[in-house]
């Protein structure tokens, strides 16, 4: 870990301004991922802006319907929130499928979206990694890739985004609200929030330098059966090999987002049109053009099989 | 004392303290944080410095240059010691890979420097500033490739065995199996990383460390530093898990010593988590072939087991065929082990070394063979039980009740409700049950102890025995209490200090039986001293209820001690009973699993182990050993694998997120039953070990249960869902 300076920001605007003043600074909230990365010197910020005191820790109903989740709301609190459990069960289930109780107590809503990949080559500073060090090459390709991506990947990077929460947020059409240092705000649909790696895998979101997430907004509840199915080698405390977030309506229509397969939560509205035809048709379109490795080819089958089980469960 | 004839009645048989379910006497100090582990030793008067290691970024080659100038100039840095600075060092007797010194790189994350600073954070930060240039060489990292050039190691490793004519009998057998199995590299992944504090006083050094084997470490530490063994004082009273990973000197101790010498103050060094996989030792992967031939009635006529494992030059085999030499009958037999040269980190002992991977394969093969024969797998094992060493039939087992374990287990588990493969469904779960034999030899090592009787009547045991979480403190206290006829609260136990008599140490499930036998021997000496002091005839003296009694004369033990106290010291040594008689421990593992029909995820639903391991010294600590081993077996069956990057030559998943040991949610109800038995051939304690028995066969029982659940036979571990889903019913 490199020595760094530290300040506390008391408002979102102040956080964004502090970031503008300190190029290369990082916001720190729960720190559940950032601190690990700093210890390994994968992240080497010279300045940390502690945003825990920004007051963005509330979950509020939006008058016209929907829910605004403050950026600092802890994963535990979000999962346990009564409205979330009643109207957005998918989100609650995805959250408790992730990490451990201790980590969820610290981890925040915004931080969860910004967590970085768990690709083991990214985590070993001795190995080339385009995400860690732009242009250094990808040592994962041709290496141990069982956990890595099958779609949306590139010649430069085959890492996945590890979040469970983000997969549910994508299926629920959440939007990410931000503020920039000039005080301007914007709302970014989850679909657009994470970038595909292309030849710049080190740039993972559309956030601009210093842009600060203030909230995640959920639109009006969509009803339906909401199922989050996370598939992994051990029963807890493991990242998804594959996860399926689904909202299935009584008429068979619905939404599906998949985790563990791509650099971002993977959802194709065109695939959802096939839901009534079943899992094979849906996953066929969802994963069209997938480029798995020998190690992770099983994920193609696994998505289809898991989705099949989810659809069957929804039909109950 | 030499143990060379089977034990007769002795004070341990009273079983007033020994054999009782006594909670660990060190438990409270651990749960309240008062037990100090190696890194936690802290004297307020001492300014400790902190060392942080640097590991090689390549797997093979040599260092051409190192630039430490930036690190030395970094804030708080007191010293930097590099592998080039110290030059070639003499390797420890028990080490295969060189720990430190010289320019050669034998494996990834080999230690190449230590940075010592005033704080841990300063040391870690400065460590990344060291610039290293390497001349990299192409290594061999793929066991399957290297196995083609594997060689027969020297006879000291007992690579081959044979009896009868295996080839002819296998050809002639009406029912045969010829199958190949694979087990992966595994990491000890103990909770406490290797950690040491070294403090020099002139030419003498004190080392607080985390070691299973005090005397082995002491000798190899001295040898590596080039100093006299007598100049080393080593302490390791509490150990946060070892599993074999702390049997042999590790580099944390060496770096702490060099760092402390360089900066002139005590230095703490803990290995960062990624070093556990790539810097220390691991259980080597194996490729195995098993052939079994049998008559239609189930009698095995031919059994052959071959294994290939890899290691660095001069490394040892993973002895995966040893159990096959002893477990089942069969007139015609062969085993063979071959060693491949690999440039991965050193492979070495991990809990049940050889036995665990060997039985992972053999006990699937037995299940497969039983199915071919149409015989229940328990019945098949019973048909082929042997009461003698099948390679040397004149050598009987001292006591062998595998059949008893299997029969009792079958009854308690409800084995007769087992269905055909893929025949039992509960919702989305395919349900299956599996069984495997557990089998592990009882080893003994010389073990010494000193027992003091104070004027306050307190009995204090001193031995360099270690407690790696196993319960050594408690069973040693029980032994001394039983021998001296006092309550356990009158016994104090001090372990893990090189100033104490040399013990067996902790490993190979020899620790409990050997170390308590050493305490037994020392207590016999102390009893004699007490009798002598009181003028009693030691033959008819009775130690009971805190008193010494002879005829109608009774003296409180404290009084007998006198003002100066009394001391008894001895070492238990062993005659040839382990050669004349095969001493082993036995068990049956029973497992029920559910496999998700869609995703192929396996979740264990219940586990039962029935064990025959001689006298159980403490059913609580023995049960803990068993359920811990069963948990380890669950990880070994389902998720644990050090993933090798065969291009770059390192274990990729080198942290506890990537190397998936079983977590609480993976472990269901575990039941353990110990057979009520003693083995007078094993020791005066009539006990044997259980620490490794518990792991032997667990993974195969799980594998067999998965087969019973799904009809899919997987022969390469871990049995992850990707190996199953292709054979599961269509669900889309």
């Amino acid at each position: 870990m490199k020595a760094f300076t530290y300040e506390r920001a008391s408002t979102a605007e102040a956080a964004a301004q502090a970031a503008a003043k300190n190029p290369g600074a990082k916001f720190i909230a729960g720190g559940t991922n950032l601190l690990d990365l700093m210890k390994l010197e994968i992240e080497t910020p010279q300045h940390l802006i502690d945003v825990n005191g920004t007051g963005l820790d509330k979950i509020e109903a939006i008058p016209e319907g929907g829910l605004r989740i403050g950026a600092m709301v802890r994963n535990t609190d979000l999962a346990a929130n009564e409205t979330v459990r009643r109207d957005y069960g998918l989100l609650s289930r995805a959250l408790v499928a992730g990490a451990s109780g201790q980590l969820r107590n610290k981890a925040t809503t915004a931080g969860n979206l910004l967590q970085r990949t768990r690709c083991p080559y990214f985590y070993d500073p001795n190995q080339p990694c385009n995400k860690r060090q732009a242009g250094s090459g990808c040592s994962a390709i041709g290496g141990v890739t069982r956990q890595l991506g099958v779609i949306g990947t590139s010649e430069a990077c085959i890492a996945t985004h590890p979040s469970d929460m983000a997969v549910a947020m994508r299926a629920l059409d959440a939007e990410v609200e931000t503020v920039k240092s000039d005080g301007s705000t914007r709302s970014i649909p989850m679909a657009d929030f994470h970038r595909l790696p292309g030849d710049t895998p080190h740039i993972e979101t559309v956030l601009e330098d210093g842009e600060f997430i203030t909230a995640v907004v959920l639109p009006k509840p969509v009803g339906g059966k909401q199922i989050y199915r996370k598939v992994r080698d051990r029963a807890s405390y493991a990242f998804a090999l594959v996860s399926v977030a689904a909202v299935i309506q009584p008429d068979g229509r619905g939404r599906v987002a998949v985790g563990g397969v791509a650099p971002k939560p993977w959802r194709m509205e065109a695939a959802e049109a096939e839901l009534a035809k079943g899992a094979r048709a849906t996953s066929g379109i969802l994963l069209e053009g997938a480029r798995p490795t020998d190690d992770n080819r099983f994920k193609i089958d696994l998505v289809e099989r898991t989705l099949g089980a989810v659809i069957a469960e929804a039909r109950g | 004392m030499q143990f060379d004839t089977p034990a007769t009645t002795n004070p341990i048989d009273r079983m007033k303290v020994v054999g009782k379910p006594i909670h660990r006497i060190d438990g409270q100090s651990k749960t309240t944080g008062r037990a100090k582990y190696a890194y936690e030793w802290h004297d307020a008067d001492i300014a400790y410095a902190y060392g942080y290691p640097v590991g090689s970024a390549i797997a093979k080659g040599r260092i051409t240059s190192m630039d430490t100038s930036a690190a030395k100039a970094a804030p708080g840095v007191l010293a930097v010691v590099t592998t080039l600075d110290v030059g070639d060092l003499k390797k420890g007797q028990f080490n295969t890979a060189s720990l430190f010194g010289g320019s050669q790189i034998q494996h990834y994350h080999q230690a190449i420097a230590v940075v010592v600073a005033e704080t841990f954070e300063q040391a870690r930060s400065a460590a990344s500033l060291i610039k290293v240039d390497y001349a990299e060489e192409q290594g061999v990292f793929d066991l399957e490739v290297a196995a083609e050039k594997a060689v027969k190691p020297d006879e000291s490793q007992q690579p081959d065995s044979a009896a009868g004519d295996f080839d002819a009998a296998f050809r002639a057998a009406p029912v045969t199996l010829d199958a190949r199995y694979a087990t992966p590299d595994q990491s000890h992944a103990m909770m406490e990383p290797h950690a040491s504090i070294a403090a020099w006083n002139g030419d003498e050094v004190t080392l607080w460390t985390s070691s299973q084997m005090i005397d082995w470490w002491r000798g190899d530490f001295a040898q590596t530093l080039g100093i006299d063994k007598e100049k080393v004082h080593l302490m390791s009273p509490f150990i946060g898990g070892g599993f074999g990973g702390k049997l042999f000197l590790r580099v944390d101790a060496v770096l702490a010593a060099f760092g402390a010498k360089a900066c002139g103050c005590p230095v703490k060094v803990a290995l960062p988590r990624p070093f556990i996989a790539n810097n220390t030792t691991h259980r080597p992967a194996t490729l195995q072939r098993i052939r079994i031939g049998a008559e239609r009635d189930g009698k095995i006529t031919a059994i052959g087991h071959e294994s290939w494992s890899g290691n660095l030059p001069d490394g040892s085999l993973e002895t995966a065929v040893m159990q096959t030499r002893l477990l089942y009958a069969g007139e015609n037999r062969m085993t063979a082990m071959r060693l491949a040269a690999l440039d991965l980190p050193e492979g070495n002992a991990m809990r049940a070394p050889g036995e665990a991977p060997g039985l992972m394969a053999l006990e699937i093969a037995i299940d497969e063979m039983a199915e071919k024969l149409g015989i229940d797998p328990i019945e098949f094992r019973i048909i082929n039980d042997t009461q003698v060493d099948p390679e040397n039939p004149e050598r009987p087992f001292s006591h062998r009740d595998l059949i008893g374990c299997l029969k009792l287990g079958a009854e308690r588990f409800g084995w007769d409700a087992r269905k055909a493969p893929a025949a039992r469904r509960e919702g989305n779960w395919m349900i299956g049950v599996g069984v495997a034999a557990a089998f592990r030899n009882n080893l003994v090592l010389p073990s010494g102890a000193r027992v003091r009787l104070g004027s306050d009547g307190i009995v204090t045991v001193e031995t360099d025995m270690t407690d790696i979480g196993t319960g050594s403190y408690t069973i040693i206290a029980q032994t001394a209490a039983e021998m001296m006829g006092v309550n356990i609260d009158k016994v104090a136990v001090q372990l893990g200090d090189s100033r104490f008599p040399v013990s067996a140490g902790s490993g190979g499930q020899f620790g409990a039986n050997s170390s308590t036998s050493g305490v037994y021997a020392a207590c016999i000496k102390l009893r004699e001293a007490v009798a002598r002091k009181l003028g009693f005839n030691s033959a008819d003296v009775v130690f009971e209820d805190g008193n010494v009694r002879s005829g109608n004369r009774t003296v409180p033990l404290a009084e007998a001690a006198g003002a100066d106290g009394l001391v008894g010291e001895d070492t238990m040594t062993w005659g040839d009973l382990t050669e004349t008689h095969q001493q082993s421990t036995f068990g049956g593992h029973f497992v029920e699993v559910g496999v998700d029909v869609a995703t192929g995820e396996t979740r264990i639903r219940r586990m039962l182990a029935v064990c025959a391991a001689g006298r159980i010294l403490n059913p609580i600590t023995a049960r803990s050993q068993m359920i811990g081993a069963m948990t380890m077996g669950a990880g070994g069956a389902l998720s644990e694998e050090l993933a090798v990057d065969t291009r770059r030559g390192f274990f990729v998943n080198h942290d506890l997120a990537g190397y998936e040991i079983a977590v609480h949610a993976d472990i269901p109800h575990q039941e353990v039953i110990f057979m009520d038995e003693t083995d007078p051939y094993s020791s005066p304690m009539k006990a044997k070990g259980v620490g490794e028995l518990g792991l032997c066969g667990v993974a195969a029982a799980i594998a067999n249960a998965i087969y019973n659940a799904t009809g899919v036979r997987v022969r390469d571990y871990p049995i992850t869902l990707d190996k199953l889903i292709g054979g599961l019913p269509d669900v889309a």
Side-chain angles (χ1 to χ4, degrees):
Chain A
M1 187 183 282
K2 291 296 165 205
F4 55 88
T5 52
Y6 172 88
E7 71 177 292
R8 291 197 178 102
S10 55
T11 65
E13 292 72 20
Q17 282 160 15
K21 265 185 254 158
N22 295 278
K26 284 270 175 192
F27 300 118
I28 183 164
T32 57
N33 190 206
L34 180 61
L35 285 175
D36 283 349
L37 294 169
M38 287 171 68
K39 288 173 188 174
L40 292 163
E41 299 193 5
I42 293 162
E43 297 274 15
T44 53
Q46 295 186 344
H47 187 67
L48 282 187
I49 303 158
D50 185 329
V51 293
N52 286 295
T54 49
L56 302 169
D57 56 356
K58 292 170 192 65
I59 302 171
E60 295 163 326
I62 297 171
E64 54 271 31
L67 212 56
R68 174 170 284 107
I69 302 160
M72 294 304 120
V73 172
R74 307 291 155 173
N75 287 177
T76 296
D77 296 331
L78 183 56
N81 179 272
E82 211 171 301
T83 309
V84 172
R85 287 168 62 192
R86 187 186 62 221
D87 295 337
Y88 307 95
L90 184 66
L91 178 58
S92 198
R93 291 181 185 112
L95 281 161
V96 296
S100 66
Q102 294 89 336
L103 288 166
R104 293 194 296 269
N105 287 343
K106 288 294 284 181
T108 61
T109 307
N112 190 313
L113 294 175
L114 295 173
Q115 67 180 299
R116 308 200 66 188
T117 185
R118 298 290 166 158
C119 173
Y121 294 90
F122 173 73
Y123 264 81
D124 189 332
N126 289 326
Q127 308 305 327
C129 172
N130 288 320
K131 192 183 271 300
R132 179 165 22 82
Q133 195 182 351
S136 62
C138 173
S139 49
I141 295 172
V144 175
T145 58
R146 183 170 176 268
Q147 293 272 351
L148 303 183
V150 296
I151 195 161
T153 53
S154 72
E155 295 298 321
C157 182
I158 59 171
T160 58
H161 193 267
S163 172
D164 292 297
M165 184 196 82
V167 182
M169 292 289 199
R170 176 71 180 91
L172 293 169
D173 281 334
E175 300 211 349
V176 181
E177 293 186 342
T178 69
V179 60
K180 299 182 195 174
S181 58
D182 62 6
S184 64
T185 61
R186 64 169 171 159
S187 185
I188 307 163
M190 267 300 289
D192 303 332
F193 183 77
H194 293 103
R195 291 168 42 121
L196 292 181
D199 54 8
T200 55
H202 58 292
I203 304 171
E204 294 173 349
T205 69
V206 297
L207 292 177
E208 295 170 15
D209 279 351
E211 188 173 2
F212 180 70
I213 298 174
T214 53
V216 177
V217 170
L218 294 174
K220 276 188 268 191
V222 293
K225 287 236 176 150
Q226 303 198 357
I227 298 169
Y228 189 77
R229 181 72 168 89
K230 181 175 182 179
V231 183
R232 44 189 160 175
D233 288 323
R234 61 182 174 189
S236 176
Y237 203 55
F239 294 97
L241 292 167
V242 157
S243 69
V244 171
V247 179
I248 309 285
Q249 303 295 347
D251 63 3
R253 290 179 304 117
R255 306 172 177 192
V256 175
V258 177
V261 296
K264 60 191 282 186
W266 198 250
R267 181 177 171 197
M268 304 284 257
E269 279 76 355
E272 291 167 1
E274 305 292 314
L275 262 175
K277 291 188 200 159
R280 185 156 297 154
T282 308
S283 80
I285 296 178
L286 188 64
L287 299 180
E288 198 172 353
R291 295 190 308 168
T293 66
D294 287 345
D295 279 359
N296 66 22
R297 199 172 306 280
F298 73 94
K299 288 190 175 188
I300 307 289
D301 267 355
L302 190 57
V303 167
E304 181 187 307
R305 298 183 69 92
T306 308
L307 181 58
V310 166
I311 292 171
E313 184 185 340
R315 288 175 183 159
Chain B
M1 177 182 286
Q2 166 116 334
F3 182 75
D4 46 19
T5 54
T8 53
T9 302
N10 67 45
I12 297 297
D13 294 319
R14 297 186 293 185
M15 299 272 284
K16 287 185 173 175
V17 194
V18 168
K20 293 285 182 267
I22 293 169
H23 287 282
R24 350 181 137 228
I25 61 172
D26 54 328
Q28 202 178 37
S29 70
K30 285 182 174 171
T31 54
T32 55
R34 279 179 291 124
K36 280 188 184 165
Y37 290 81
Y39 203 78
E40 299 172 332
W41 281 87
H42 197 85
D43 186 329
D45 299 333
I46 295 175
Y48 295 92
Y50 295 81
Y52 196 82
V54 180
S56 168
I58 65 164
K60 189 176 187 187
R62 86 192 147 77
I63 296 171
T64 53
S65 70
M66 295 178 81
D67 178 358
T68 59
S69 52
K72 282 177 173 160
V77 171
L78 301 171
V80 177
V81 182
T82 73
T83 190
L84 301 181
D85 296 339
V86 303
D88 290 332
L89 299 176
K90 200 164 178 196
K91 209 168 67 178
Q93 181 189 344
F94 295 98
N95 294 128
T96 296
S98 170
L99 296 181
F100 192 58
S103 61
Q104 289 299 318
I105 298 299
Q106 287 184 289
H107 63 86
Y108 190 69
H109 272 176
Q110 178 179 319
I112 57 171
V114 62
V115 177
V116 182
E118 289 167 8
T119 70
F120 172 80
E121 287 76 13
Q122 289 169 333
R124 182 173 61 187
S125 177
S128 66
L129 299 175
I130 294 178
K131 302 248 184 323
V132 187
D133 290 319
Y134 300 96
E136 194 168 359
E137 293 167 33
Q138 183 57 48
V140 179
F141 309 113
D142 187 338
L143 177 59
E144 293 207 24
V145 172
E148 289 166 18
K149 292 184 194 163
V151 298
K152 181 176 167 180
D154 68 69
E155 291 301 326
S156 69
Q157 297 202 49
Q158 300 176 276
D160 290 350
S161 75
D165 185 344
F166 170 80
D167 286 331
F170 185 72
R171 269 197 308 274
V175 182
T176 60
L177 171 82
D178 182 351
R180 288 177 183 270
Y181 305 85
T183 64
D185 297 287
Q186 293 182 333
S187 177
H188 305 86
M190 71 295 281
M191 188 132 39
E192 180 202 30
H194 301 74
S196 291
I197 305 173
W200 289 91
N201 181 10
D203 62 350
E204 297 187 350
V205 61
T206 300
L207 186 74
W208 291 270
T209 191
S210 187
S211 159
Q212 298 176 227
M213 304 292 288
I214 300 297
D215 195 58
W216 290 4
W217 276 61
R218 189 183 184 210
D220 274 357
F221 184 59
Q223 185 157 311
T224 304
L225 297 181
I227 62 174
D228 188 28
K229 184 176 174 182
E230 298 308 313
K231 301 286 187 188
V232 176
H233 174 205
L234 195 148
M235 284 183 283
S236 183
F238 295 105
I239 296 119
F243 309 115
K246 294 170 180 170
L247 284 169
F248 317 114
L249 179 72
R250 298 311 320 164
V251 78
D252 53 301
V254 178
L255 297 180
F258 277 111
K261 188 135 243 182
C263 75
C265 64
V267 169
K268 297 189 175 197
V269 176
L271 296 188
R273 181 57 64 178
F275 273 51
I276 307 303
N278 283 298
N279 174 273
T280 74
T281 60
H282 64 279
R283 184 201 301 284
T286 67
L287 301 170
Q288 302 181 47
R289 180 190 189 191
I290 295 178
R291 285 174 289 171
I292 303 174
E295 299 292 343
R296 296 199 187 282
D297 64 2
K299 193 160 175 282
I300 292 174
T301 53
I303 184 163
H305 191 169
E306 295 154 86
S307 174
W308 293 260
S309 61
N311 215 332
L312 290 165
D314 305 324
S316 56
L317 287 165
E318 180 67 14
T319 53
V321 309
M322 294 306 208
Q323 307 309 88
T324 305
R325 293 179 184 174
L326 289 163
L327 185 48
Y328 296 113
E331 273 183 32
N332 304 287
R333 359 188 12 108
M334 65 80 64
T335 67
M337 296 181 284
R338 296 295 178 265
L339 186 59
L342 285 179
D343 298 299
L344 289 170
E346 174 180 339
N348 216 319
M350 177 169 146
R351 197 177 199 173
E355 296 92 357
L359 287 171
M360 285 165 92
L362 177 64
E363 289 298 287
I364 292 181
I366 291 293
D367 202 65
E368 295 193 70
M369 193 65 191
E371 186 180 41
K372 284 189 172 221
L373 289 158
I375 297 175
D376 180 275
I378 292 177
E379 182 59 26
F380 182 52
R381 289 178 173 91
I382 291 171
I383 290 169
N384 291 291
D385 189 50
T386 175
Q387 292 295 317
V388 298
D389 173 350
E391 290 184 357
N392 302 287
E394 70 284 1
R395 249 183 109 231
F397 280 90
S398 60
H399 182 77
R400 171 171 166 137
D401 194 15
L402 176 61
I403 292 178
C405 293
L406 293 170
K407 283 187 168 170
L408 181 61
E411 181 194 321
R412 295 290 178 89
F413 191 75
W415 182 253
D416 56 5
R418 172 174 172 264
K419 291 196 165 68
R424 192 174 153 206
R425 266 296 273 281
E426 288 179 19
N428 289 330
W429 294 102
M430 307 177 81
I431 313 295
V433 295
V435 66
F439 173 56
R440 213 273 174 183
N441 289 345
N442 179 54
L443 308 179
V444 286
L445 284 185
S447 198
R450 183 160 57 224
V451 185
R452 300 178 188 277
L453 175 61
S455 57
D456 51 3
I458 298 293
V459 176
T460 303
V461 183
E462 297 172 343
T463 165
D464 85 352
M465 179 61 189
T466 50
D467 189 328
I468 58 174
T470 40
S472 307
Y473 277 102
T474 310
I475 57 171
I476 283 172
Q478 288 173 272
T479 303
E482 192 79 78
M483 290 299 291
M484 301 312 297
V486 298
N487 285 335
I488 194 163
D489 59 4
K490 299 286 185 211
V491 180
V493 179
Q494 298 197 358
L495 301 181
D497 191 316
S498 61
R499 293 172 297 193
F500 300 152
V502 174
S503 73
S506 297
Q509 81 172 17
F510 50 66
N513 185 39
S514 298
S515 71
T516 53
S517 294
V519 174
Y520 173 96
C523 285
I524 292 285
K525 283 279 169 69
L526 180 58
R527 287 163 60 110
E528 288 166 1
V530 170
R532 214 163 33 241
K533 178 95 179 282
L534 296 174
F536 287 171
N537 176 0
S538 62
D540 61 11
V541 72
V542 177
F543 290 75
E544 204 167 55
D545 302 331
N547 295 317
V548 196
R549 194 177 72 237
S550 179
N552 54 10
R553 199 177 147 213
T554 298
V555 181
L557 199 56
E559 194 178 305
D564 300 334
L566 292 169
V567 181
E569 179 173 339
D570 201 0
T571 295
M572 181 60 80
T573 58
W574 309 93
D576 64 356
L577 289 177
T578 54
E579 284 145 43
T580 60
H581 291 73
Q582 178 55 44
Q583 298 182 20
S584 303
T585 58
F586 307 88
H589 283 292
F590 295 79
V591 174
E592 181 177 296
V593 302
V595 179
D596 188 293
V597 67
T599 65
E601 289 163 296
T602 298
R603 301 291 179 250
I604 301 173
R605 291 158 58 104
R606 55 194 180 106
M607 304 178 92
L608 163 69
V610 182
C611 305
R615 172 175 282 149
I616 297 304
L617 301 173
N618 181 327
I620 293 179
T621 56
R623 179 177 181 277
S624 291
Q625 283 292 289
M626 288 299 301
I627 63 175
M630 289 153 75
T631 301
M632 202 172 205
L638 299 176
S639 57
E640 287 188 43
E641 174 178 19
L642 282 170
V644 184
D645 186 316
T646 55
R647 309 158 305 164
R648 293 168 177 271
F650 73 111
F651 298 126
V652 172
N653 50 342
H654 47 53
D655 60 35
L656 292 178
Y659 184 79
E660 294 190 11
I661 59 170
V663 295
H664 282 90
D666 292 308
I667 301 304
H669 179 68
Q670 296 172 308
E671 194 179 346
V672 179
I673 298 170
F674 293 110
M675 302 297 271
D676 186 8
E677 64 169 40
T678 56
D679 189 340
Y681 287 83
S682 72
S683 76
M685 305 302 293
K686 304 175 187 173
K688 296 184 279 201
V690 296
E692 309 206 333
L693 177 69
L695 182 57
C696 292
V698 182
I702 294 167
N704 294 338
I706 291 170
Y707 174 73
N708 183 241
T710 62
V712 181
R713 182 67 80 178
V714 179
R715 298 182 185 84
D716 60 324
Y717 292 92
I719 305 175
T720 46
L721 58 87
D722 45 304
K723 297 170 187 172
L724 291 171
I725 53 173
L728 298 183
D730 193 0
V731 291

